[in-house]
Amino acid sequence: MAAIAEIRIDLFRMPLPQPVEAYAAGVMSGFDMVVARIRDADGVEGVGYTVMHEGQGPAVAAVADGPLRAVLAGEDADLIEGLWRRMYRTCHYCGRGGPVAFALAALDVALWDLKGRRLGAPLWRLLGGFDPKVRVYAGNIDLNFPLEKLLDGGMASVEAGFRAVKMRLGRPTLAEDVRRAAAMRDHLPDDVEMMADANEAWRVDQAVRAMRALAPLDLVWLEEPIAPDDLAGYAHLRSLGLIPLAAGENLHTVPEFAALIRAGGVDFPEPDLTTCGGITPFMKVARLAEANGLPVISHGAHDVHVHLLAACPNAAYLEWHAFGLDRVMAEPLTISEGACTAPDRPGHGIDFDWERLAAHRVG
Amino acid sequence: MAAIAEIRIDLFRMPLPQPVEAYAAGVMSGFDMVVARIRDADGVEGVGYTVMHEGQGPAVAAVADGPLRAVLAGEDADLIEGLWRRMYRTCHYCGRGGPVAFALAALDVALWDLKGRRLGAPLWRLLGGFDPKVRVYAGNIDLNFPLEKLLDGGMASVEAGFRAVKMRLGRPTLAEDVRRAAAMRDHLPDDVEMMADANEAWRVDQAVRAMRALAPLDLVWLEEPIAPDDLAGYAHLRSLGLIPLAAGENLHTVPEFAALIRAGGVDFPEPDLTTCGGITPFMKVARLAEANGLPVISHGAHDVHVHLLAACPNAAYLEWHAFGLDRVMAEPLTISEGACTAPDRPGHGIDFDWERLAAHRVG
């Protein structure tokens, strides 16, 4: 029994080093981060975080600090499946998505981290343990960059050790997208893989044309060509066999992933623990993908996801998160020959630099 | 051009006259309500509201008062489709459900009310106009009531003018549920129709057994036998042809309704404008149902929904909302011979008693 003695929720507003753009998000110059700290009666503390677009943090913090905190107070921190279900159900009527899934994530990660720290076990071993070395790709956010800066960003990733680089699509014309993607493919070394992410820029008919035009580039995947909840659209696009499809950062529940996979709409399920309710549902999606003969990839939060993918036989790629939280963490992950290694420190092994963070606290 | 000059968001915590229980919600002794007021440059004001379980209002108010307010400020209030899409997209990454759909709802209703008041037109005419008289049913919440109180509640609804009454299922055993439902059917006059609502109490296998046991009672529908996002489960249950199925209060987007309808999983789509993003998406679901040869019913918020159903040729039943907001409204709806009539006052025609509400303001 590890009774939950203290729960602390903080909201931070973090600036980005430079404004970056993705189609659905638009130009971002900063982001919100909600951090949950859960301390048990023995004084052991677990930490979880989730990030979202600027201005959306207050709702997430309100859910975490209100109804979810009320579920957890005084309970046995070890019974995560039970606590997760109670948190989910408490917010069911006004949940199943958006701020609730993010708030759940922060607390669920804190509970898993706490469990790992109590046991002295790193998450990747706790979750099953497969291979601590995980292939990584650079999830560059660069839709607003002029061509030269776009290409420089791709090469900077290669120089940083990546062997796979993603760029964004969704410029005003398909012709421009194809030109930029072809230029990137030409610019990157032949043995560096390339992905593209449209962030929902297109209708289904536009996506078909885009996929025909991009197919010669031999992308590892095309991500989110259309809206995330158009199951029939995904199934149609995938049936064409032109480019493998990735999707999932905008799915907030396990049943949403189950529906997309059942519809035959995805090659690379891409859950994000910060948007789908935490480690508990992420692992269910990863296992669901495996059972369906599919790989699993992650979105964002590479410092935690590296542990999860290191526990999955079907792990394909870890996205290296462009938001740069490394600058407020001790011992950030490093990249070597296109891979990251999950640390063997207890829990997720992330220690925030609270003093540096304090300057960004807004709630 | 009706430029938006002022937006006011208030959060109220309202007690219920007596504690009521539904399976997924548990026992409720009060609820939260977020009210949005939008005033244009000419001083015309539109009002919208949404309700949710106690404690979940702060997150909804934070979304409405933060990112959504920022979208609306200074814009032309008349261009609701455009504003709705921009609000939806702004909160897309941390949305598609929960608090965001509710916050959208309050603002969308306020925009429609404003439009009606500017034009001097009641909503039901503005939205198309079909028949102001809408069949109504009593959506009683009574899972926690002992048998006698349950039956008294059903008869009280008949005496109040209802010709259709719904009761709740989800007691600890199916045998008890069947006994209570059979007793209610015996107790109600033969010409009064009866519905039942399990509020997600069952797994699919349990729902099959429940439907076999309840089929002899000739229910108009069985509502939410299982989790709202189990599309395959709904399709299976409906294929049995035992009892027509109703669902929708826990679907938060038009694509979610499209997926359920496409799966063949529902007889009575039941959108709730307060949970699915407002009047704009509700009408799309209603028209989608019509195009698929299905009726449409509403959930909660009868004072606004009466207008929407009065604009739908496929309207089947208006749920009379058990939360009793009538007590803080001038000229509440009345029931006569099992029907309500949409008022011919401009907009939705609801005027809150702000003085009475003030005592319940919490944010």
Side-chain angles (χ1 to χ4, degrees), chain A residues 22 43 69 80 97 144 204 232 254 279 286 296 304 313 363:
Chain A
R69 166 197 288 279
I80 301 179
N144 55 330
V204 173
V254 176
I279 293 169
V296 63
V304 186

Side-chain angles (χ1 to χ4, degrees), chain B residues 74-115:
Chain B
E75 297 296 316
D76 183 348
D78 238 15
L79 306 181
I80 301 180
E81 282 285 349
L83 294 174
W84 195 94
R85 187 157 72 166
R86 283 176 55 202
M87 289 193 286
Y88 181 83
R89 287 190 173 175
T90 283
C91 287
H92 176 72
Y93 184 69
C94 191
R96 282 186 55 254
V100 171
F102 287 64
L104 260 169
L107 289 161
D108 178 82
V109 172
L111 288 170
W112 277 105
D113 186 42
L114 175 59
K115 190 190 287 283

Side-chain angles (χ1 to χ4, degrees), chain A residues 10-22:
Chain A
D10 290 290
L11 171 60
F12 302 95
R13 186 151 295 168
M14 313 288 293
L16 283 169
Q18 64 177 338
V20 294
E21 182 180 13

Side-chain angles (χ1 to χ4, degrees), chain A residues 67-68 71 85-93, chain B residues 53 56:
Chain A
L68 300 191
V71 167
R85 186 157 73 167
R86 284 175 56 203
M87 289 193 286
Y88 182 82
R89 286 190 173 173
T90 284
C91 287
H92 176 73
Y93 184 68
Chain B
H53 297 169
Q56 299 181 4

Side-chain angles (χ1 to χ4, degrees), chain B residues 197-219:
Chain B
D197 190 342
N199 290 107
E200 314 174 33
W202 303 315
R203 300 184 307 257
V204 173
D205 59 294
Q206 294 170 314
V208 171
R209 291 168 58 210
M211 289 168 74
R212 289 210 173 278
L214 295 166
L217 301 183
D218 190 31
L219 300 173

